[in-house]
Amino acid sequence: MIYLDFNASAPVSALVAAQVASAIAQGGNPSSVHAAGRTARGRVEVAREALATAVGCAARDLVFTSGGTEANALAIQGLPLPRVLASAVEHDCVLALADATIPVDGQGRVAPEALEAALKDGPALVCIMAANNETGVIQPLRELAPLVRAAGSLLHVDAVQALAKLPVEVAHADTMAFSAHKLGGPQGVGALYVRPGLTVAARQRGGGQELGRRAGTENVGGIVGFGAALRERAEDAEWTARVTALRDSLETALLEAGAQIIARDVPRLCNTIAVRMPGVAAATQVMALDLAGFAVSAGSACSSGKVKPSHVLRAMGCPDAVAGETIRVSLGWTTTEEEIASFVKAWRATLARLDPRF
Ligand code: PLP
């Protein structure tokens, strides 16, 4: 199978898996004072340092969580603001906790005017993602963050898809969410950055883990894998340039074959393509490509099982026909030229079979 669904969950390398296995085999509770506990604590703190280095903050500003969903919820539910505003293209786990949405433009970006209008009614927690999971569109956070601050509001950034793919800067955010499995770490582990001086109320109470911000014994194996994956991505400094070139060549081939690329003209993640195959339902495309040996998805992964029209494309003003015929192809560090060439061939063959006009 050729895996082109990195944004849903990226493969874990043998090296990362070995480090996770070793941490699990070693055991020990990081809160225990004996040697086994201290070893486990050490492993957790090495991973915290790796993440702190990757995002430019102090290690103590990071809270490990069970993933991106929990990190988002910890910020949104834990910050004391009267309302939560979220861009209309946020992940469902953010939208589910929002009181109102901020519209995006036709390219999926929050315009400064739209943000200012939303902020008129008083202080709020504003949730704007760093990069979108379906289209890869990057939000202009540098431009938007000062507007949030000037309005006396706070900015939460979901950087789940951006970490390791883009230079992520916590400086713009009050809180920022991360997840390990989008960058080659295990599933079920993530983290929240909390700006120094800011307090998030714990959702889980009990033990004093994570400086009282998240009770519960840390997922040591998962956290070790998170750190290992971050180091692995950092050591392969060329991977984003390599993937950008592959992405560009894939887009050129798809466009030549009659495809439409969503938000092609704005800054996007190096690995993500939202592509419309005209005349063929996205679910049909995903199934046909699956049978041909390719893993891609329709809309976001969480909704692809349910196959509902993408709220992201709808928010961008795409007509239902476009939203219903768009799939996501997301590449990664292991993607090769040969895989892209076979995908183009399969995509063309699928189109020829499913759309009588071709
Ligand atoms: N935010 C974004 C942008 C995502 O793409 C995802 C995963 O699909 C999440 C949050 C949820 O992360 P997790 O699966 O780690 O809970």
Side-chain angles (χ1 to χ4, degrees):
M1 196 232 332
I2 293 179
Y3 191 80
L4 296 172
D5 204 11
F6 278 67
N7 286 13
S9 203
V12 175
S13 73
L15 203 81
V16 170
Q19 294 195 31
V20 173
S22 146
I24 292 171
Q26 189 132 19
N29 186 326
S31 300
S32 297
V33 292
H34 51 60
R38 291 198 306 276
T39 304
R41 166 62 52 207
R43 291 184 143 185
V44 167
E45 296 315 319
V46 166
R48 203 187 305 271
E49 279 296 341
L51 179 56
T53 304
V55 302
C57 70
R60 67 177 171 281
D61 302 333
L62 295 166
V63 183
F64 282 119
T65 65
S66 65
T69 301
E70 188 194 330
N72 280 323
L74 181 57
I76 296 169
Q77 298 181 323
L79 288 169
L81 282 150
R83 17 178 228 142
V84 177
L85 303 174
S87 92
V89 293
E90 295 300 300
H91 191 271
D92 275 337
C93 68
V94 170
L95 287 177
L97 302 175
D99 298 308
T101 54
I102 307 167
V104 295
D105 63 20
Q107 306 292 327
R109 292 186 302 179
V110 175
E113 306 74 49
L115 177 58
E116 277 174 324
L119 285 167
K120 275 212 180 92
D121 297 331
L125 174 64
V126 176
C127 303
I128 303 178
M129 66 203 326
N132 186 265
N133 43 307
E134 293 184 33
T135 59
V137 169
I138 297 168
Q139 292 292 345
L141 290 177
R142 243 170 231 256
E143 206 181 331
L144 301 175
L147 303 178
V148 176
R149 201 157 299 143
S153 294
L154 293 178
L155 178 62
H156 170 67
V157 175
D158 175 343
V160 164
Q161 292 290 346
L163 181 60
K165 296 175 193 155
L166 281 181
V168 164
E169 296 167 80
V170 293
H172 300 310
D174 293 293
T175 50
M176 195 177 264
F178 310 107
S179 177
H181 74 110
K182 310 295 185 180
L183 56 105
Q187 295 160 345
V189 58
L192 181 70
Y193 159 78
V194 183
R195 179 169 61 71
L198 209 58
T199 304
V200 286
R203 298 171 73 232
Q204 294 172 209
R205 289 154 211 254
Q209 290 93 347
E210 299 298 295
L211 302 177
R213 295 168 296 186
R214 201 263 186 186
T217 303
E218 294 89 341
N219 170 5
V220 180
I223 291 169
V224 165
F226 193 173
L230 279 167
R231 282 190 295 276
E232 205 174 63
R233 298 289 72 74
E235 278 160 17
D236 180 11
E238 299 300 309
W239 84 264
T240 53
R242 226 167 45 232
V243 165
T244 304
L246 289 175
R247 194 252 342 239
D248 290 349
S249 73
L250 174 54
E251 286 192 355
T252 306
L254 293 174
L255 286 168
E256 276 166 11
Q260 179 187 348
I261 310 286
I262 308 296
R264 182 151 194 257
D265 300 326
V266 295
R268 286 174 298 140
L269 290 175
C270 61
N271 75 318
T272 309
I273 306 177
V275 53
R276 176 188 179 204
M277 187 190 280
V280 185
T284 311
Q285 296 177 49
V286 170
M287 283 185 279
L289 287 164
D290 181 33
L291 287 175
F294 297 86
V296 296
S297 66
S300 63
C302 319
S303 59
S304 60
K306 301 178 232 146
V307 191
K308 59 173 187 182
S310 154
H311 71 272
V312 173
L313 299 179
R314 280 204 167 152
M316 291 165 67
C318 291
D320 275 357
V322 174
E325 295 170 355
T326 300
I327 60 167
R328 175 183 70 188
V329 184
S330 50
L331 287 53
W333 37 95
T334 54
T335 307
T336 62
E337 246 174 74
E338 293 71 34
E339 287 180 336
I340 295 301
S342 332
F343 178 77
V344 172
K345 228 166 124 188
W347 196 87
R348 280 177 173 276
T350 307
L351 186 64
R353 202 154 39 81
L354 296 177
D355 186 341
R357 288 172 302 171
F358 288 86

